[in-house]
Amino acid sequence: MMTNHGNRITQGQFSFLPDLTDEQIKRQIEYALKNNWAVGIEYTDDPHPRNTYWEMYGNPMFDLHDAAGVLMELNHCRKTFPNHYIRLMAFDSTRGIESIAMSFIVNRPSKEPGFMLDRQEGNGRTMRYQVRGYAAEQPEGERYGER
């Protein structure tokens, strides 16, 4: 049975685990580099489940062979966007396309407001549902208590 302690956003691998330490993140990066996957870093302040396109932090690191370089970029991103969600992604290009082989969240805001499910009744027995993030109700830059 999976348990989501604290109702945290669950996107990517390791979502139901406690936050990974930098050493654990480094091991995942080393695994990706060992498999010749390019690593990229993305961030957002609106992690809606259908928001698959986050902002890219820098360019994907195609020619990097050392996990320390990725961790350096990750720490720069954390410093620049401390109250945003940050995820690390690895791309496998062996089939001639960039397909995601690994993706997991490496930074979260201290307060995660969650999502609301809106139900709208239509004609007859029609029901429509919409997922809305509580954070999106605040203006950008104020969504997680930053000012």
Side-chain angles (χ1 to χ4, degrees):
M1 179 177 153
M2 293 191 299
T3 305
N4 184 1
H5 300 287
N7 294 322
R8 297 163 26 127
I9 300 295
T10 55
Q11 292 185 17
Q13 297 157 303
F14 316 122
S15 290
F16 289 93
L17 298 176
D19 291 338
L20 298 179
T21 65
D22 281 354
E23 182 60 33
Q24 292 169 324
I25 293 170
K26 179 182 175 190
R27 288 184 191 150
Q28 295 302 318
I29 295 168
E30 288 170 347
Y31 177 79
L33 296 176
K34 184 180 85 174
N35 285 293
N36 296 316
W37 297 340
V39 179
I41 299 170
E42 297 181 335
Y43 65 94
T44 188
D45 66 347
D46 181 20
H48 188 282
R50 292 189 180 175
N51 179 11
T52 58
Y53 299 106
W54 292 17
E55 299 292 326
M56 183 158 283
Y57 186 82
N59 293 320
M61 296 165 250
F62 292 104
D63 295 329
L64 205 60
H65 301 289
D66 185 10
V70 178
L71 281 173
M72 183 179 76
E73 285 296 308
L74 174 58
N75 287 328
H76 286 172
C77 187
R78 285 175 171 165
K79 186 175 180 181
T80 307
F81 301 103
N83 293 313
H84 283 62
Y85 292 89
I86 301 172
R87 73 178 170 198
L88 193 131
M89 302 177 73
F91 302 94
D92 181 7
S93 63
T94 55
R95 294 189 181 109
I97 59 170
E98 293 295 321
S99 56
I100 298 172
M102 177 170 37
S103 171
F104 57 95
I105 294 175
V106 294
N107 193 74
R108 300 169 179 273
S110 57
K111 178 184 169 213
E112 295 187 73
F115 292 91
M116 176 165 69
L117 182 65
D118 282 333
R119 184 176 86 177
Q120 301 164 348
E121 297 183 23
N123 294 337
R125 295 179 175 218
T126 304
M127 300 291 240
R128 291 188 174 91
Y129 295 92
Q130 177 182 5
V131 177
R132 202 166 37 119
Y134 290 120
E137 295 174 357
Q138 300 297 321
E140 193 171 333
E142 297 179 18
R143 293 183 177 171
Y144 298 100
E146 69 263 10
R147 283 191 193 248

